[in-house]
Amino acid sequence: MASDFYKKWNFPNCIGCIDGKHIRVKCPKQTGSMYYSYKGYYSVVLQGISDANYKFIAIEFGAYGKQSNAGTFSDSNVYQRLEANTLNIPENENIPLTDISAPFVLLGDDAYPLKSNLLKPYSRKRLTIEERIFNYRLSRARRCVECAFGILVAKWRCLKTELQIDPDKVDIVVKCVCLLHNIIIDKEGLTSFDFPEVRFEPQHNVPISRRYNHYGRIANETRETLKNYSISPAGEIPFQYNLLL
C-alpha cells in the first residue's frame, strides 16, 4: 500500500488518505438541526480512507451533518484506535533511498489534527518555500480520497441528490455502494471518464497552537522530516518547483 503511494504519488511512508463526504438525506423526524450541515442541506457524514488506487480501505458512516470533519474524526473508531495504538500501523521504516527512519502516516486536510501517524498541511501564514512545496506534495497525494468520493458519486448518481429514506437505511445503501466501488475497480479498473475534476484548494490560515505535548512534538518532527525529504535530491520531483514560478 505504501509502495503504491510512493510510486504513483511520490509520497513516502503513506498508508492512506482520509476525508469526509456529506451524503444528502431527507430531514429525519424530531432531530432539530442535528443533521443540518454547513452546506445548507440535511446530511449524514461518510468518513473514508482511500488507498493510492482510489479504493476505500476503511469507512465510517453516521455522523451528524452539523459536525465538522474534525468533529467527525474525533468521534470515529479510527481516532480511538490511533489514540490507543491499535490500528495495526507498521513500525517505522526508512524513507526510500535514504537512511532516515519515519513512521507510516495517513494524510488529511487542514481540518484534521496533526498526529504522529496523521499528517496535515502547514497552515500558518507566510509559509516558507519548503513548506509550500510540502503542502503541494501532501495535497497531490491526498487527492486520492477526493477522487474516490468523486468516482463514487459519479457512478451512483442517487448520491447526488437527497436520499428519500430513513438514516438507518441510508447506512446500508452507502456501505453497499462503497463495497461495489472497490469491486468494480478490481474487476474493471478505471478510465479517464471516471475521474472528476479535482483542484488544489488554498489552505486556510489557521493559527497553530504553541502548546505541544510529547506526541505533538513527534508529529511536528515527522512533518519536518518529510518536508526536508521533499526538497532533498532523493525526494524532490522537478515539477514541484512550478509552484514558485
Side-chain angles (χ1 to χ4, degrees):
M1 187 180 302
S3 62
D4 285 340
F5 273 104
Y6 178 68
K7 292 175 183 176
K8 292 186 174 186
W9 305 110
N10 311 109
F11 204 98
N13 291 35
C14 176
I15 56 174
C17 303
I18 187 169
D19 202 2
K21 169 71 177 174
H22 287 263
I23 306 298
R24 295 183 65 168
V25 298
K26 68 177 181 179
C27 180
K29 296 179 181 179
Q30 299 179 341
T31 58
S33 62
M34 293 298 292
Y35 287 89
Y36 195 76
S37 73
Y38 71 94
K39 292 178 176 288
Y41 53 74
Y42 295 94
S43 67
V44 183
V45 180
L46 167 64
Q47 179 177 267
I49 300 176
S50 79
D51 64 12
N53 301 302
Y54 316 109
K55 291 169 56 181
F56 293 109
I57 57 178
I59 62 169
E60 291 188 58
F61 185 74
Y64 295 124
K66 68 177 291 185
Q67 288 184 296
S68 64
N69 279 355
T72 299
F73 176 68
S74 64
D75 290 338
S76 69
N77 288 327
V78 170
Y79 174 81
Q80 300 301 328
R81 294 185 65 179
L82 271 176
E83 291 293 286
N85 197 28
T86 60
L87 204 56
N88 296 323
I89 295 176
E91 295 294 326
N92 295 11
E93 284 190 6
N94 286 353
I95 297 172
L97 305 178
T98 76
D99 58 358
I100 302 170
S101 179
F104 287 93
V105 295
L106 297 171
L107 304 182
D109 65 15
D110 207 46
Y112 288 88
L114 179 66
K115 293 185 171 294
S116 54
N117 295 113
L118 174 59
L119 293 188
K120 65 181 225 175
Y122 291 95
S123 53
R124 59 175 172 265
K125 296 180 179 179
R126 299 184 180 86
L127 297 176
T128 65
I129 291 173
E130 293 81 5
E131 289 167 345
R132 288 171 57 199
I133 289 173
F134 173 82
N135 281 4
Y136 166 71
R137 295 284 294 273
L138 185 149
S139 297
R140 180 172 178 266
R142 199 188 65 80
R143 282 193 305 175
C144 291
V145 67
E146 295 181 356
C147 285
F149 284 135
I151 295 166
L152 186 76
V153 173
K155 283 191 179 295
W156 283 275
R157 294 180 178 272
C158 63
L159 300 181
K160 286 181 174 287
T161 61
E162 180 179 279
L163 294 176
Q164 297 292 317
I165 51 180
D166 294 331
D168 57 337
K169 301 294 192 305
V170 174
D171 178 84
I172 297 172
V173 170
V174 170
K175 288 179 178 178
C176 283
V177 297
C178 287
L179 178 59
L180 290 171
H181 167 90
N182 285 0
I183 292 173
I184 289 173
I185 291 177
D186 283 338
K187 296 292 185 180
E188 301 178 3
L190 293 167
T191 70
S192 60
F193 297 104
D194 290 316
F195 293 92
E197 182 180 0
V198 178
R199 299 178 179 177
F200 292 111
E201 297 182 358
Q203 300 298 327
H204 300 292
N205 289 321
V206 180
I208 296 179
S209 171
R210 295 183 179 179
R211 298 177 60 187
Y212 297 116
N213 57 23
H214 172 67
Y215 295 104
R217 179 179 58 79
I218 293 175
N220 274 277
E221 289 176 354
T222 299
R223 187 166 63 177
E224 286 290 306
T225 295
L226 291 174
K227 179 199 73 176
N228 293 334
Y229 167 79
S230 69
I231 58 172
S232 70
E236 66 182 359
I237 50 179
F239 54 83
Q240 71 187 24
Y241 298 105
N242 293 340
L243 290 175
L244 310 180
L245 298 179

